[in-house]
Amino acid sequence: MKGFSQFLRAAALLCLCTAAVHAGVVRPAPDFKLDGIPKTLHSLRGQPVVLIIAQKMRLKEFKKELFLLGPMYPRFSEQKVVFVAAIEHGPTDIHSNIPFANAANPSQVAADYGVNGRFAIAVIGVDGNLDLITARPISAARVRDMIINNYETQASSRAIPGL
């Protein structure tokens, strides 16, 4: 009987450890390729990524987001944040102090991220977790907070003691 209870404890501990390992990325961000360079979202793991999806660059939501993010770009640069734009129609040469990479297949990126509207912004953590996606422009401070307080950081503060 003693051996059986030890087995059950070991099995329960194994289950908890397995769950903790798989809990690292709760909502994996869909992978995509970058246009003109041999990189994918997966190859950027270890760096936070801000993805802006828009039907056109002329949208007021897109312009507002650039306006909100621009002043804080130096801080984002210090954190090695990568900015990616998935513009579905029209030119993709973005005039901003923020250097943007372009997604190779913007319509597919929009579909993979479940974007049915005109605009969305997503924040992808260093662990590849989709930490935020919203259809409204958000402040640069909110983006920065999402990067700093990503799931990986939160998970380490909630770690199960003794494992």
Side-chain angles (χ1 to χ4, degrees):
M1 194 61 131
K2 184 178 177 184
F4 185 71
S5 66
Q6 287 177 334
F7 170 77
L8 285 177
R9 262 190 266 165
L13 184 59
L14 179 64
C15 287
L16 283 174
C17 289
T18 303
V21 168
H22 292 292
V25 178
V26 174
R27 197 164 75 162
D31 202 14
F32 56 83
K33 292 180 182 178
L34 298 179
D35 195 23
I37 55 176
K39 292 220 180 245
T40 63
L41 175 63
H42 184 74
S43 71
L44 296 173
R45 186 147 303 173
Q47 293 179 269
V49 175
V50 175
L51 170 65
I52 299 178
I53 302 167
Q55 286 180 344
K56 297 178 184 177
M57 282 193 322
R58 288 185 268 147
L59 291 175
K60 67 180 180 177
E61 296 92 343
F62 183 78
K63 289 179 181 181
K64 182 175 182 178
E65 193 61 58
L66 290 182
F67 175 78
L68 293 170
L69 292 172
M72 200 178 268
Y73 176 70
R75 285 190 174 174
F76 290 131
S77 178
E78 290 170 3
Q79 295 174 302
K80 298 185 178 7
V81 177
V82 176
F83 288 85
V84 178
I87 310 298
E88 294 184 68
H89 307 289
T92 58
D93 185 25
I94 299 167
H95 301 288
S96 171
N97 67 321
I98 302 170
F100 276 89
N102 289 311
N105 188 344
S107 297
Q108 187 62 51
V109 172
D112 290 348
Y113 280 79
V115 176
N116 297 324
R118 301 165 10 127
F119 171 85
I121 180 170
V123 178
I124 302 159
V126 295
D127 55 358
N129 193 64
L130 182 57
D131 292 330
L132 171 77
I133 186 161
T134 181
R136 292 183 173 161
I138 57 174
S139 72
R142 177 81 170 121
V143 171
R144 186 171 174 272
D145 286 348
M146 292 306 302
I147 291 168
I148 291 170
N149 298 311
N150 69 19
Y151 180 81
E152 188 174 81
T153 303
Q154 294 172 19
S156 66
S157 70
R158 292 191 301 260
I160 301 169
L163 290 182

